[in-house]
Amino acid sequence: MRTSKRSSLIHLIYFSRAQLSAEPRERARQVNDIARHAQKKNEFSVITSILIVDQGYFIQILEGERMSVQETFQRISGDIRHRDVHIVEWREIAKREFVTSFAYVLRTPANDGLFQKANLAPMLQRGTPKASTIHALAQALQADTMAKQGIDHLFV
């Protein structure tokens, strides 16, 4: 009898209400502070992730070993910059899809079309975002960022 070994590589998608300053400079400083700390912690924990900041919400995909992702999510859930943290999806994956330990994307005029196409705002307001919609937006934002850097495909 052949037994299949279950992967311990998972991805977790969550969203929360962002508790950030209304003042643009202070908000940018806060997001940069989150990025600096998260990148170090994620590198240590061998986690890849993308954080999307849009209209008062944090939306994030975390990838890594089960225990590392669980510990990271617990830390995020207890962070005062997050309110009403909700898991959208938690599942095993065969391979990583995101390339950096911590990338973040803010909605800007340059990427607004991708956000409009995803139309996440009404789903977030109702508390019912779809994992597939978040995943597609995150992949599109990653591809857009990489294309701007002259990278046309990933070897993940």
Side-chain angles (χ1 to χ4, degrees):
M1 178 164 83
R2 191 170 160 213
T3 60
S4 65
K5 184 177 180 183
R6 291 181 54 151
S7 166
S8 63
L9 189 64
I10 63 160
H11 92 173
L12 167 73
I13 301 175
Y14 77 88
F15 74 99
S16 66
R17 292 187 182 274
Q19 296 294 106
L20 299 173
S21 173
E23 197 275 310
R25 271 195 200 150
E26 178 60 16
R27 186 173 49 247
R29 188 199 64 73
Q30 289 172 320
V31 172
N32 286 330
D33 187 52
I34 290 168
R36 190 173 53 256
H37 287 93
Q39 184 171 3
K40 289 177 188 174
K41 289 185 180 292
N42 287 2
E43 284 174 0
F44 181 77
S45 300
V46 194
I47 288 178
T48 50
S49 71
I50 185 167
L51 174 69
I52 301 166
V53 183
D54 182 33
Q55 299 182 12
Y57 290 93
F58 289 127
I59 307 127
Q60 188 169 24
I61 300 176
L62 300 167
E63 299 174 323
E65 294 296 318
R66 183 179 307 277
M67 289 302 294
S68 294
V69 170
Q70 186 173 353
E71 289 168 3
T72 299
F73 180 70
Q74 287 174 341
R75 189 174 58 253
I76 290 166
S77 297
D79 188 317
I80 61 170
R81 296 170 291 199
H82 295 267
R83 191 181 81 216
D84 302 329
V85 181
H86 298 279
I87 293 174
V88 177
E89 182 174 68
W90 174 292
R91 68 177 169 86
E92 289 186 356
I93 55 175
K95 65 179 185 169
R96 296 174 190 264
E97 296 182 34
F98 298 94
V99 295
T100 61
S101 59
F102 185 84
Y104 72 95
V105 181
L106 305 172
R107 187 176 196 157
T108 66
N111 63 21
D112 189 60
L114 297 172
F115 281 89
Q116 286 183 22
K117 183 179 177 185
N119 197 26
L120 263 178
M123 289 184 256
L124 290 166
Q125 291 165 358
R126 288 189 310 266
T128 60
K130 294 180 180 173
S132 59
T133 303
I134 292 170
H135 192 259
L137 175 60
Q139 286 186 314
L141 290 167
Q142 176 175 257
D144 182 58
T145 300
M146 296 186 85
K148 289 175 182 169
Q149 295 171 355
I151 302 168
D152 62 355
H153 63 280
L154 299 176
F155 297 101
V156 186

